[in-house]
């Protein structure tokens, strides 16, 4: 990439001195004597004296923003690996005193002045170092109950100062407190009275536009909410399942809750009589379906009741019940003897499509973890 350069004209009393700043590793823009460069870049500051007679012993002196940081052809107080000064003659008898600075960082920000002969004959160029945003603090995972006040905060460093935006990423994109739009700006994000819809993952985005390739950083936090199970039967919105006499059947229910019910807190009933995991029944409980990404914050629990042989004694109203410390909830499925309902001409019945055995679920989850 071709280096870009700019000239800043400075008047030093009886002589004309001008400083030419050239970015050797990246581009930039000088505005009102200010220059911004990316973190890690190197630059050259060139002070050219038009009148050789005005040059004092040792030539003009470059002074940096730190105390004791001074540079000249005969004087160099500073890190010699980072700074160097050279003197060059140009056409027309002018002399250039070039200060080169390498691997710049935030500690190098400030005024760099070129001073010649009379101390009043100097001019400064202000250097700003731009750095990509870095989020160094975000509120830890919290657990709340409905109506509680919840405070989130996200802090980031960077130059220029990053803008902070918040986004609710799951289970929905809705912002609390009736806030319109997808984002809320500001370091602090306070939820005055949290609802169940407000729970989930919140993403903090810090951005300042430089450098463009890394101008944003994102981090997430999570608000858990204690709530009783919300249960649905996975029967394609039809509460009745028909299975031919003598065939096997699988019935599946889904629960959303936190804390998630344990295996012992998931029960099946037939006509209000508790079903034991014997006598032709098998109850499976799993906390994640294989088609979903493994997620430590997931609030979902699935249970499948496998019936080895359907007969008249095993028809009726089946109920799946989930419980946790906040309460319990249930859903019902009616199982009757009859012809299986084929969907979409696939030859598969609705009950088999909507149900998965625990062995299949666990094997597919293990596969996703390994790969």
């Amino acid at each position: 990439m071709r280096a870009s350069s700019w000239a800043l004209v400075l008047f030093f009393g009886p002589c004309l001195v001008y400083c030419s700043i050239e970015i050797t590793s990246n581009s930039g823009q000088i505005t009102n004597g200010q220059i911004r460069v990316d973190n890690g870049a190197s630059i050259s500051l060139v002070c050219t004296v038009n009148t050789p007679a005005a040059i004092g012993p040792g030539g003009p002196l470059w002074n940096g923003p730190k105390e004791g940081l001074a540079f000249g052809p005969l004087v160099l107080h500073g890190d010699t690996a980072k700074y160097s000064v050279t003197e060059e003659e140009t056409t027309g008898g002018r002399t250039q005193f070039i200060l080169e600075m390498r691997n710049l960082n935030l500690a190098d920000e400030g005024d760099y002045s070129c001073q010649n002969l009379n101390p009043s004959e100097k001019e400064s160029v202000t250097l700003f170092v731009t750095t990509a945003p870095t989020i160094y603090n975000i509120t830890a995972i919290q657990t709340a109950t409905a109506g509680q006040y919840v405070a989130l905060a996200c802090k980031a460093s960077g130059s220029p100062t990053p803008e902070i935006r918040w986004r609710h990423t799951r289970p929905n994109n809705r912002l609390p407190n009736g806030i319109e739009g997808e984002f809320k700006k500001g370091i602090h994000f306070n939820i005055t009275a949290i609802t169940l819809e407000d729970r989930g993952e919140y993403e903090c985005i810090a951005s300042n536009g430089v450098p463009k390739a890394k101008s944003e950083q994102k981090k997430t936090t999570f608000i858990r909410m204690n709530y009783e199970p919300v249960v649905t039967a996975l029967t394609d919105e039809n509460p009745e399942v028909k299975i031919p006499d003598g065939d096997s059947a699988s019935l599946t229910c889904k629960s959303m809750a936190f804390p998630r019910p344990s295996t012992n807190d998931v029960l099946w009933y037939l006509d209000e009589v508790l079903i034991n995991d014997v006598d032709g029944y098998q109850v499976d409980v799993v906390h994640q379906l294989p088609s979903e990404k493994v997620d430590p914050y997931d609030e979902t629990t699935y249970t499948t009741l496998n019936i080895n042989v359907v007969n008249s004694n095993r028809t009726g109203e089946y109920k799946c019940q989930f419980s946790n410390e906040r309460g319990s909830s249930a859903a019902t499925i009616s199982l009757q003897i009859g012809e299986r309902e084929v969907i979409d001409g696939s030859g598969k019945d609705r009950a088999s499509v909507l149900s998965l055995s625990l062995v299949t679920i666990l094997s597919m989850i293990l596969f996703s973890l390994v790969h």
Side-chain angles (χ1 to χ4, degrees):
M1 180 181 292
R2 187 180 64 183
S4 301
S5 62
W6 300 267
L8 179 64
V9 179
L10 313 175
F11 292 94
F12 283 9
C15 68
L16 176 65
V17 179
Y18 64 89
C19 296
S20 177
I21 300 176
E22 182 177 3
I23 306 299
T24 58
S25 62
N26 58 314
S27 59
Q29 179 66 46
I30 293 179
T31 304
N32 297 325
Q34 299 178 351
I35 180 69
R36 295 183 182 272
V37 298
D38 288 342
N39 186 56
S42 299
I43 65 170
S44 296
L45 303 179
V46 182
C47 184
T48 303
V49 181
N50 285 328
T51 307
I55 301 176
L61 188 66
W62 280 102
N63 292 290
K66 299 177 184 177
E67 184 177 356
L69 195 62
F71 319 95
L74 302 180
V75 180
L76 180 58
H77 299 294
D79 184 355
T80 56
K82 188 179 186 71
Y83 309 104
S84 63
V85 177
T86 57
E87 178 180 350
E88 294 182 2
E89 294 293 331
T90 67
T91 57
R94 295 180 300 175
T95 305
Q96 292 182 335
F97 298 88
I98 305 168
L99 168 63
E100 294 187 7
M101 298 185 288
R102 294 168 283 275
N103 193 26
L104 294 168
N105 55 54
L106 290 174
D108 299 310
E109 287 189 328
D111 292 337
Y112 289 82
S113 61
C114 177
Q115 179 176 315
N116 186 52
L117 289 178
N118 191 321
S120 63
E121 296 178 350
K122 69 176 182 179
E123 189 66 34
S124 296
V125 176
T126 304
L127 174 69
F128 293 96
V129 178
T130 60
T131 59
T134 299
I135 297 175
Y136 61 86
N137 184 278
I138 187 171
T139 303
I141 295 171
Q142 300 187 61
T143 300
T145 54
Q148 183 178 336
Y149 177 88
V150 177
L152 302 178
C154 179
K155 298 180 181 179
S157 61
S159 178
T161 302
E163 177 187 68
I164 301 295
R165 293 177 296 159
W166 287 94
R167 182 171 63 175
H168 189 194
T169 54
R170 58 179 175 144
N172 56 66
N173 294 327
R174 170 186 171 275
L175 289 174
N177 305 334
I179 300 173
E180 298 292 337
E182 185 180 359
F183 298 98
K184 180 191 179 300
K185 295 181 180 181
I187 294 174
H188 300 283
F189 190 175
N190 300 324
I191 305 173
T192 53
I194 194 168
T195 67
L196 191 58
E197 288 187 335
D198 300 332
R199 77 188 191 285
E201 185 179 73
Y202 285 81
E203 181 180 66
C204 169
I205 305 169
S207 58
N208 66 357
V210 267
K212 291 183 178 179
K214 299 179 180 179
S215 61
E216 286 189 351
Q217 187 181 41
K218 301 176 182 179
K219 285 191 176 181
T220 60
T221 186
F222 204 89
I223 302 176
R224 294 186 184 275
M225 283 197 67
N226 294 321
Y227 66 101
E228 68 180 51
V230 178
V231 182
T232 54
L234 302 185
T235 56
D236 197 28
E237 299 182 357
N238 187 340
E240 183 175 275
V241 175
K242 292 183 179 181
I243 302 293
D245 191 15
D247 280 9
S248 62
S250 295
L251 308 177
T252 300
C253 291
K254 171 185 175 181
S255 164
M256 297 290 293
F258 188 81
R260 290 190 299 192
S262 66
T263 300
N264 293 333
D265 292 325
V266 180
L267 304 174
W268 281 89
Y269 296 84
L270 172 57
D271 295 331
E272 300 301 329
V273 177
L274 180 65
I275 296 174
N276 295 316
D277 199 3
V278 292
D279 299 331
Y281 292 103
Q282 179 183 346
V283 177
D284 297 335
V285 177
V286 67
H287 289 116
Q288 197 136 32
L289 281 178
S291 61
E292 300 174 356
K293 182 180 177 181
V294 174
D295 181 0
Y297 304 128
D298 188 42
E299 301 170 339
T300 308
T301 303
Y302 297 90
T303 181
T304 297
L305 177 66
N306 299 300
I307 307 169
N308 293 343
V309 179
V310 174
N311 54 43
S312 59
N313 293 326
R314 291 176 178 165
T315 60
E317 186 174 84
Y318 284 84
K319 180 172 72 173
C320 53
Q321 178 177 293
F322 296 78
S323 302
N324 67 3
E325 63 185 38
R326 302 291 296 178
S328 63
S329 184
T332 59
I333 304 172
S334 176
L335 178 63
Q336 303 297 329
I337 294 176
E339 292 297 321
R340 292 178 182 265
E341 180 183 347
V342 177
I343 60 173
D344 299 331
S346 62
K348 297 181 179 179
D349 64 277
R350 176 163 47 82
S352 65
V353 170
L354 294 172
S355 301
L356 289 170
S357 69
L358 180 61
V359 174
T360 303
I361 292 172
L362 291 179
S363 64
M364 294 183 73
I365 291 176
L366 179 61
F367 179 83
S368 67
L369 287 173
V370 172
H371 294 79

